[in-house]
Amino acid sequence: MSNESGRIDDLSFWEAYYAEYTEPFAPSLFAKYILEHFAKQGSTLIELGCGNGRDAVFFADNGIKVTAIDQCAGEIEYLNKHLQNEFLKFYCTDFTSLSVEHRFDVVYSRFTLHSVAEEQEDEVIKWSFDCLNAGGYLCIEARGLNNELYKKGEPVADKHNTYIYEGHSRRFIDLAKMKEKLNNIGFEVVFAQEQKGFAPHNGEDETFMRLIAKNVADVPRRS
Ligand SMILES: C[S@@+](CC[C@H](N)C(=O)[O-])C[C@H]1O[C@@H](n2cnc3c(N)ncnc32)[C@H](O)[C@@H]1O
């Protein structure tokens, strides 16, 4: 399940999933929360792992300029063909190896950081710090150690807290450790909670973590 670079590789699972659920469905509660509190109209946002674009479309419809990334080529082709506009562009690439070409006001990751290995997570949070404008936010929703699926399924060799269950892998994130990493990089963690109520789905209300970290670099950067 992990490739030569140590990356957890669930590409075929997600390609098959989005071949079935091609059209964006309703936006997540997390996207609504971020729009209400952290993403101002006219700001720029990059979404890491946009799936069928449900949240990317929602942000763009609300006046946010969105760059949305996913590894699923077929889905990205579909989204660019049918949904791209001046506020919304989709790209097929691996979000764990992005370079800092543009700056954003928000980096948004919903249910994607638990899809990658911890080493890749570390790259993503460093990259996020570098590509965020001063005062910008890294916004994460993911499965943490208190999630009800933790330890279900087959453990992945050499990958801490990672299990294959229902056909794909999940790495359960230690919220306290992630807060510490973000603080060490220079972020200020402005919100960190792990609880029920964040993402009820199909009658289930599992425990998920949300973490919002602000880039508090005081020197405004040029784009
Ligand atoms: C659980 S889905 C979440 C989709 C969307 N954020 C949502 O909340 O509906 C995880 C998505 O992350 C994408 N993904 C996982 N690892 C990735 C990577 N390294 N680079 C790009 N996309 C990735 C998958 O292809 C999949 O579309």
Side-chain angles (χ1 to χ4, degrees):
M1 192 56 64
S2 64
N3 66 14
E4 281 158 22
S5 66
R7 212 190 120 186
I8 299 168
D9 203 344
D10 288 328
L11 177 58
S12 43
F13 174 89
W14 290 114
E15 279 179 333
Y17 181 85
Y18 287 113
E20 193 173 345
Y21 300 102
T22 315
E23 289 282 334
F25 29 74
S28 66
L29 292 180
F30 188 48
K32 293 180 180 174
Y33 169 75
I34 296 305
L35 183 72
E36 191 178 342
H37 297 283
F38 300 102
K40 294 192 199 95
Q41 203 176 16
S43 63
T44 53
L45 177 149
I46 182 165
E47 177 169 12
L48 311 180
C50 64
N52 62 12
R54 57 189 302 206
D55 289 343
V57 168
F58 169 74
F59 286 124
D61 283 350
N62 282 282
I64 312 289
K65 203 153 191 191
V66 179
T67 301
I69 287 175
D70 204 280
Q71 62 187 348
C72 293
E75 182 60 26
I76 292 296
E77 193 183 334
Y78 175 88
L79 294 168
N80 265 327
K81 193 165 169 197
H82 297 282
L83 291 166
Q84 71 155 315
N85 58 48
E86 61 173 313
F87 280 90
L88 182 57
K89 297 276 179 277
F90 297 95
Y91 297 91
C92 180
T93 189
D94 175 359
F95 69 67
T96 67
S97 53
L98 296 171
S99 52
V100 182
E101 287 167 28
H102 304 282
R103 307 230 181 251
F104 299 92
D105 299 310
V106 178
V107 174
Y108 178 83
S109 159
R110 178 179 184 273
F111 281 28
T112 61
L113 270 192
H114 62 236
S115 295
V116 301
E118 189 167 353
E119 308 87 75
Q120 274 77 45
E121 172 189 286
D122 291 348
E123 293 304 318
V124 170
I125 60 179
K126 270 189 245 149
W127 170 86
S128 299
F129 188 78
D130 289 340
C131 82
L132 275 169
N133 288 317
Y137 294 100
L138 169 61
C139 305
I140 299 165
E141 186 170 73
R143 292 182 192 269
L145 295 179
N146 292 306
N147 180 256
E148 287 72 4
L149 296 188
Y150 181 44
K151 294 194 174 170
K152 281 202 179 174
E154 193 72 18
V156 177
D158 303 327
K159 296 287 168 202
H160 193 49
N161 286 337
T162 306
Y163 297 82
I164 298 169
Y165 184 64
E166 297 168 330
H168 66 107
S169 62
R170 298 179 180 94
R171 180 178 57 85
F172 296 83
I173 296 172
D174 181 334
L175 180 60
K177 189 173 171 192
M178 186 180 266
K179 273 172 69 178
E180 197 183 320
K181 280 190 214 173
L182 291 164
N183 283 327
N184 289 341
I185 287 174
F187 278 107
E188 178 189 336
V189 175
V190 296
F191 183 89
Q193 294 285 337
E194 194 170 5
Q195 63 180 63
K196 291 180 186 290
F198 285 157
H201 179 64
N202 284 347
E204 302 274 332
D205 188 10
E206 290 181 45
T207 306
F208 294 104
M209 50 162 279
R210 277 184 187 175
L211 199 150
I212 316 293
K214 185 174 185 179
N215 179 329
V216 286
D218 50 4
V219 184
R221 305 178 207 209
R222 284 184 298 162
S223 53

